[in-house]
Amino acid sequence: MSESHTPPSGSARLNTGVAHNARVWNYWIGGKDNYEVDQQVGEHVAGMFPIIRDIARADRDFLGRAVSFLAGECGVRQFLDIGTGLPTADNTHEIAQRLAPDSRIVYVDNDPIVLVHARTLLTGTHDGVTAYIDADVHDPDAILERAGHTLDLTRPVAVMMLGILNFVLDTDEARDIVRRVMAAVPSGSFLVLTHPTFDDELGGAGQIPAMKFWNENATPPITARSGADIAAFLDGLELLEPGMVSCGQWRADAGSAVLVPQYGAVAVKR
């Protein structure tokens, strides 16, 4: 079954005159839910930082491996996916419910074009639930309150924060958001995280000029962080093997592992 908390005004907020992250990301991974302005900015960024398409694909592949691991090996049946982005193939609910049909998934985003496409997300199994709420990562209390209508927050939850904290420009605020969300879920819950970095060892130096161009020509503004700052989001949690690594290498087959300047990690709350 599926539930929607999508406001009818979602499409009214859509601005097709300025490139937007969800649509440009969709363009980079070969989707069709984008406009000419998104394609132009996407091509310019890719010209400055050609690995960006690899990052987009690696992040998406990481999502698949992480959800499969959690639903399969760890027995997780509840997922809170904050910063959903545009639906493509193998979304969180599709992967989880394929392995465990009774899985319950809540998607969270406040991007107008994601609201427009929310119905595409809302195709769950007969046994499980897929819900969507319009909320902002900067307001974790609202996210938790509304997610609690679908998820049982007294039972373990996998909190998905893939490529979302990089839009919270203040690092202290980003840490506080993670702390507040993880404080609201019980022991046995997980945090799944990806975040872009400028660390040289992952080839991230090129992120800086590309993000400067982005912030001058697109929305919302974005930031990369050092590995140390990203690792601090996981304070108080137990990192699972192989730790915090390039997301293209996290539990990837040797033949498909790629090094991209985007960290990925899965950690458990004990």
Side-chain angles (χ1 to χ4, degrees):
M1 64 180 289
S2 65
E3 302 170 357
S4 177
H5 303 284
T6 304
S9 60
S11 59
R13 306 198 327 243
L14 185 59
N15 181 356
T16 61
V18 178
H20 197 286
N21 177 74
R23 302 191 310 251
V24 176
W25 196 263
N26 177 264
Y27 174 66
W28 283 330
I29 62 175
K32 296 182 172 59
D33 296 312
N34 50 76
Y35 298 94
E36 185 176 358
V37 66
D38 307 306
Q39 297 163 18
Q40 291 171 346
V41 169
E43 283 299 321
H44 192 98
V45 171
M48 298 178 69
F49 193 50
I51 200 174
I52 190 64
R53 286 188 173 91
D54 295 330
I55 294 173
R57 286 189 291 265
D59 189 87
R60 192 72 193 177
D61 291 343
F62 169 86
L63 167 70
R65 295 194 302 275
V67 174
S68 295
F69 167 70
L70 292 170
E73 294 184 37
C74 300
V76 175
R77 296 296 178 264
Q78 300 192 111
F79 293 81
L80 177 58
D81 191 336
I82 303 174
T84 303
L86 282 164
T88 60
D90 279 342
N91 301 289
T92 298
H93 74 283
E94 293 167 319
I95 300 166
Q97 292 175 350
R98 196 155 55 227
L99 291 165
D102 60 336
S103 296
R104 304 173 75 85
I105 293 87
V106 171
Y107 289 110
V108 182
D109 212 303
N110 74 329
D111 183 333
I113 197 168
V114 177
L115 294 175
V116 172
H117 287 267
R119 289 184 183 276
T120 306
L121 287 171
L122 300 176
T123 52
T125 61
H126 177 74
D127 298 321
V129 175
T130 306
Y132 181 92
I133 58 177
D134 177 20
D136 193 305
V137 66
H138 294 87
D139 191 356
D141 293 338
I143 291 173
L144 291 162
E145 190 276 326
R146 297 172 69 185
H149 296 302
T150 300
L151 304 178
D152 179 356
L153 298 183
T154 68
R155 296 175 55 236
V157 178
V159 177
M160 316 287 292
M161 289 188 169
L162 274 63
I164 184 64
L165 293 174
N166 35 288
F167 296 108
V168 181
L169 301 186
D170 183 272
T171 299
D172 288 338
E173 181 185 5
R175 287 178 186 151
D176 184 60
I177 288 168
V178 175
R179 280 196 296 264
R180 287 159 69 185
V181 172
M182 296 309 295
V185 295
S187 296
S189 294
F190 295 84
L191 175 62
V192 185
L193 178 75
T194 63
H195 196 296
T197 185
F198 47 69
D199 285 358
D200 284 336
E201 57 263 38
L202 267 64
Q207 300 259 36
I208 298 171
M211 286 184 174
K212 182 176 186 294
F213 172 83
W214 174 271
N215 290 344
E216 293 169 349
N217 293 276
T219 189
I222 192 171
T223 188
R225 291 186 168 97
S226 68
D229 278 340
I230 297 167
F233 295 139
L234 304 164
D235 284 352
L237 305 174
E238 180 184 321
L239 261 177
L240 301 185
E241 291 294 335
M244 194 180 83
V245 297
S246 172
C247 69
Q249 298 181 328
W250 190 90
R251 293 181 181 251
D253 295 334
S256 62
V258 292
L259 181 70
V260 295
Q262 177 113 326
Y263 281 111
V266 176
V268 63
K269 178 178 179 179
R270 293 300 188 189

